[in-house]
Amino acid sequence: MNNLSFASIKELRELLDSKKITTEQLLDHCIAQFKKHDADLGSALEVFDKESILKASHAKGILAGIPGLLKDNIAQENRALTCASKILEGLESTYDATASARLKEQGALLLGRANCDEFAMGSSTETSAYQKTKNPWDPTRVPGGSSGGSAAAVAAGLVPWALGSETGG
């Protein structure tokens, strides 16, 4: 497959299982995409280093070797957890949220922390204390929702999946 950026999880699983790509190659690709594009996009507050990403995940499971991004209000053990607010700057989670733990159990590679509206209270991802997230298809528009960092990262082909959250009911 020539373009890993917009491959589905199913396509990536098939490539990994057939050994056409390795977990490290896929992870390197996603990290490189963030380095190349995210300075302008602002979808991630942090992309973790490769070694710690691999160490934090289990090697087996349906998502083994598939990188993704979690919104910065979903706890990841031993990682910063700011909810895009400077009030929580320096806070490191002492545990995994259920979603993080279950993703790790299935081998998902948790690549980093997605930007969001501060404390997930907003509808545009413009109220993060750190940066605004842009819509990758039209930078004059917002990516939408308080989970805009997660949405923008997937829409831009930086990762094949990302988790957000729903605040408004």
Side-chain angles (χ1 to χ4, degrees), residues 86-105:
K86 291 194 178 185
I87 293 171
L88 297 179
E89 202 166 82
L91 176 67
E92 189 175 280
S93 181
T94 58
Y95 63 91
D96 275 325
T98 300
S100 301
R102 288 184 178 174
L103 286 163
K104 287 178 182 179
E105 287 168 7

Side-chain angles (χ1 to χ4, degrees), residues 48 56-58 63 69-81 93 95-110 112-113 161 163:
F48 308 135
S57 179
H58 298 272
L63 290 172
L69 195 63
L70 298 187
K71 185 175 178 179
D72 190 36
N73 68 347
I74 301 172
Q76 299 181 61
E77 186 175 21
N78 300 320
R79 304 287 195 189
L81 180 65
S93 181
Y95 63 91
D96 275 325
T98 300
S100 301
R102 288 184 178 174
L103 286 163
K104 287 178 182 179
E105 287 168 7
Q106 289 303 312
L109 301 178
L110 305 184
R113 301 180 301 120
W161 65 270
L163 288 190

Side-chain angles (χ1 to χ4, degrees), residues 78-164:
N78 300 320
R79 304 287 195 189
L81 180 65
T82 66
C83 299
S85 177
K86 291 194 178 185
I87 293 171
L88 297 179
E89 202 166 82
L91 176 67
E92 189 175 280
S93 181
T94 58
Y95 63 91
D96 275 325
T98 300
S100 301
R102 288 184 178 174
L103 286 163
K104 287 178 182 179
E105 287 168 7
Q106 289 303 312
L109 301 178
L110 305 184
L111 194 102
R113 301 180 301 120
N115 194 26
C116 58
D117 282 313
E118 190 169 18
F119 292 110
M121 297 300 293
S123 58
S124 64
T125 316
E126 294 178 299
T127 65
S128 167
Y130 296 99
Q131 62 195 14
K132 292 182 180 181
T133 299
K134 295 181 181 132
N135 181 316
W137 297 105
D138 183 352
T140 67
R141 297 176 185 256
V142 299
S146 67
S147 301
S150 297
V154 173
L158 306 183
V159 285
W161 65 270
L163 288 190

Side-chain angles (χ1 to χ4, degrees), residues 26-36 47-50 53 111 158:
L26 181 55
L27 184 55
D28 286 342
H29 171 79
C30 290
I31 291 171
Q33 289 298 100
F34 274 95
K35 287 180 180 174
K36 183 176 181 182
V47 174
F48 308 135
D49 64 281
K50 180 179 173 181
I53 294 168
L111 194 102
L158 306 183

Side-chain angles (χ1 to χ4, degrees), residues 11-21:
E11 291 168 326
L12 294 172
R13 171 85 281 125
E14 290 169 358
L15 289 170
L16 288 165
D17 289 346
S18 67
K19 301 194 183 328
K20 291 181 180 171
I21 62 169

